[in-house]
Each structure stands twice: as structure tokens, then as C-alpha cells.
Amino acid sequence: SARQLNPNVRIICRVDAEPTASKAELAGADGVVSPHMIGGTNMANALLRPHSATFMKQAFARTHPDLTMEDVWIGEAPAYHDTLVNLRLRDRHRVMVVAIQKADGTLHTAPGPTALLESGDVMVVVGSSHDINALCDAVEDDFGAMS
């Protein structure tokens, strides 16, 4: 029903059992969340990778003032259509790019310095909320300067 009202709406569905996940996706859900699966994964990670688990928990829960993970859409901002080494995002904005989702949907994790940002790409960045917000503002300002 939601998809008929708005074909562009992003639909996330909660399921209680894994077999239900594929049904939800077939029905049109863009993403599926299973609290039982997430809980089990978090427990396993806490046991096997305690430092990594703490990092991820703090990044997503935003409990550490200098640690946030966020999506930054590049869009049509021409000043950000370049390689990571040329953009110097760590120096200029104090953020670290941990992944790039290309406009075609492919995900590049741990991108190297020659990774190229292009129109429609999304960066996954880690940094403080303040620094990430400043980066988002700079991208928006660059896009606005085109108009």
C-alpha cells in the first residue's frame, strides 16, 4: 500500500523469523530488520571482537562525542567529484571515508586514495557530529553554488 501511494518511499520491515525476510523483500521491502538476528550477532561480536563491537556500538548509538557514522550524499556538487586523495577530506573536514556506495548501487569498502567520487555517490564517513555536519554543509553549499 505504501509503495502504491509513493513509489519512491523507502520501506523497512521488521520480521521475527529469517524465512519471513525473503517474503518481505518479495513483497517490496527495501530492507528487513530481524531483532533476534541483530541481538545474536551483537552477542557474538561482543565475545569474539570486543573492541570492534564497542566501536560499532558507539558509532551507531552516538554515545561517544567524537564518533559518529553517517551517509553523505555527494549529488551534483562538482567540487566533490574527485579522488579521495585530492579531496583531502581528513585534513579539511576531519572525517574518514570508510565506504563509498556508487550511484549504481555497488559498495566499495575501505576505499583507497585513488577512489573516485562521482555524481550520485554516497560516502559513509566516520567523525564527530560537528565535523560531519560541516562536511554536509560544504557539499550542499557547493551544490547550491551551481544553481
Side-chain angles (χ1 to χ4, degrees), residues 44-59:
N45 282 331
L47 287 169
L48 300 172
R49 302 171 196 87
H51 302 291
S52 299
T54 299
F55 173 86
M56 295 304 288
K57 178 181 174 184
Q58 289 181 347

Side-chain angles (χ1 to χ4, degrees), residues 34-119:
S34 169
H36 299 294
M37 182 65 92
I38 291 170
T41 300
N42 286 348
M43 289 174 67
N45 282 331
L47 287 169
L48 300 172
R49 302 171 196 87
H51 302 291
S52 299
T54 299
F55 173 86
M56 295 304 288
K57 178 181 174 184
Q58 289 181 347
F60 288 116
R62 299 172 187 233
T63 57
H64 191 282
D66 294 327
L67 181 61
T68 301
M69 190 175 292
E70 192 67 63
D71 296 347
V72 178
W73 183 64
I74 297 305
E76 300 296 328
Y80 290 86
H81 296 174
D82 204 341
T83 61
L84 292 180
V85 69
N86 288 340
L87 291 171
R88 297 179 21 253
L89 297 172
R90 192 169 191 154
D91 295 333
R92 291 172 47 213
H93 296 286
R94 296 179 36 164
V95 300
M96 181 174 25
V97 179
V98 296
I100 299 171
Q101 178 145 10
K102 303 300 285 179
D104 68 5
T106 57
L107 183 67
H108 299 271
T109 58
T114 60
L116 179 65
L117 290 174
E118 301 170 291
S119 178

